[in-house]
Amino acid sequence: MNFPSAFPVLRTERLVLREVADHDVPAVFEMESDPVAMRYWSKPPMRDISEAVASVERAKTFFPTQAGLRWCLATPADDWTIGHASLFAFSEQSGRADIGYGLARRHWGQGYMHEALVAIVDYAFGPLGLRRLEADADPRNAPSCRALERLGFVREGTLRERWQVGDEISDTAFYGLLAREWRERRRSS
Ligand SMILES: CC(C)(COP(=O)(O)OP(=O)(O)OC[C@H]1O[C@@H](n2cnc3c(N)ncnc32)[C@H](O)[C@@H]1OP(=O)(O)O)[C@@H](O)C(=O)NCCC(=O)NCCS
């Protein structure tokens, strides 16, 4: 794995994928305080803007500590963050990482996440040198499962009662994608 020395800004047709910044606080709060968007997230919805401030502060440490790569999905005209996507839980030895993502609700259904994830997966299996990506989705989270399957992720199994968020216990649909599968897919697309 080749963790980058400078944050890897990625560009797609409609988005700039960049590092988190202080001015992302309102956008993070928009998404992460929405109970619908957070229905299957690993933590309950935010209730106060101070939680978004803390979340942005935390996200700013991911790259310098090599804990993860968190890309804010920004629209180039106004630099507004419509969502974010991350690689984290790197295993250097096994060349793998987890992928996670979310969009504010008003940006759903327009293909933005697919566009961003294609760029991130290209980066993960290209310059970053990973061999396998993993994703953990609630089996009831159909849009998330579709987003993974659209990229070629294979549903490898169900991990029962893996999460407890508040009082709710939920299963995980566990997905994996291999670099060689991605290359084959890109070659034939
Ligand atoms: C998971 C999540 C990002 C998926 O959002 P999404 O809008 O469905 O995904 P995309 O941005 O890739 O858009 C794809 C959808 O847009 C449609 N679409 C419209 N215009 C499009 C375009 N120009 N290009 C591609 N797709 C387009 C696609 O048909 C697809 O809809 P479908 O799944 O009903 O067929 C979103 O539901 C979310 O943020 N949820 C809350 C957070 C969350 O649960 N994260 C996952 C935790 S595991």
Side-chain angles (χ1 to χ4, degrees):
M1 190 181 118
N2 316 303
F3 199 88
S5 53
F7 187 86
V9 175
L10 305 174
R11 288 186 171 76
T12 69
E13 201 183 323
R14 294 177 292 176
L15 297 168
V16 176
L17 278 54
R18 58 155 174 79
E19 197 170 11
V20 66
D22 290 337
H23 66 271
D24 293 321
V25 167
V28 168
F29 189 63
E30 179 192 344
M31 182 187 117
E32 298 196 23
S33 62
D34 176 354
V36 176
M38 299 301 281
R39 172 71 183 87
Y40 300 113
W41 204 252
S42 50
K43 55 185 193 254
M46 292 177 176
R47 301 171 111 185
D48 190 273
I49 189 87
S50 62
E51 295 175 72
V53 173
S55 168
V56 165
E57 283 307 311
R58 220 172 20 253
K60 280 158 62 181
T61 69
F62 295 166
F63 174 68
T65 60
Q66 302 198 354
L69 289 165
R70 155 84 61 98
W71 285 274
C72 282
L73 280 49
T75 42
D78 53 6
D79 198 32
W80 178 261
T81 288
I82 64 169
H84 52 76
S86 306
L87 296 175
F88 58 102
F90 295 114
S91 166
E92 173 97 44
Q93 179 184 315
S94 299
R96 76 173 132 73
D98 285 13
I99 191 165
Y101 44 82
L103 283 177
R105 190 153 35 120
R106 66 190 159 106
H107 305 291
W108 292 4
Q110 298 166 65
Y112 280 121
M113 190 52 78
H114 181 71
E115 189 173 314
L117 292 178
V118 167
I120 290 172
V121 174
D122 271 344
Y123 178 77
F125 290 144
L128 198 54
L130 296 180
R131 197 180 49 73
R132 172 179 161 89
L133 287 174
E134 296 179 350
D136 161 335
D138 189 304
R140 298 167 296 176
N141 190 352
S144 180
C145 294
R146 276 201 301 278
L148 292 169
E149 287 162 14
R150 199 171 278 128
L151 293 165
F153 274 81
V154 174
R155 188 163 169 165
E156 296 174 337
T158 302
L159 283 63
R160 296 170 305 150
E161 298 191 11
R162 184 148 191 264
W163 289 98
Q164 177 160 359
V165 179
D167 292 335
E168 188 176 18
I169 294 172
S170 51
D171 294 345
T172 278
F174 200 75
Y175 283 89
L177 177 65
L178 305 180
R180 59 183 159 83
E181 294 168 339
W182 181 251
R183 281 188 208 109
E184 183 53 41
R185 202 179 172 86
R186 294 296 261 159
R187 256 197 305 275
S188 57
S189 66

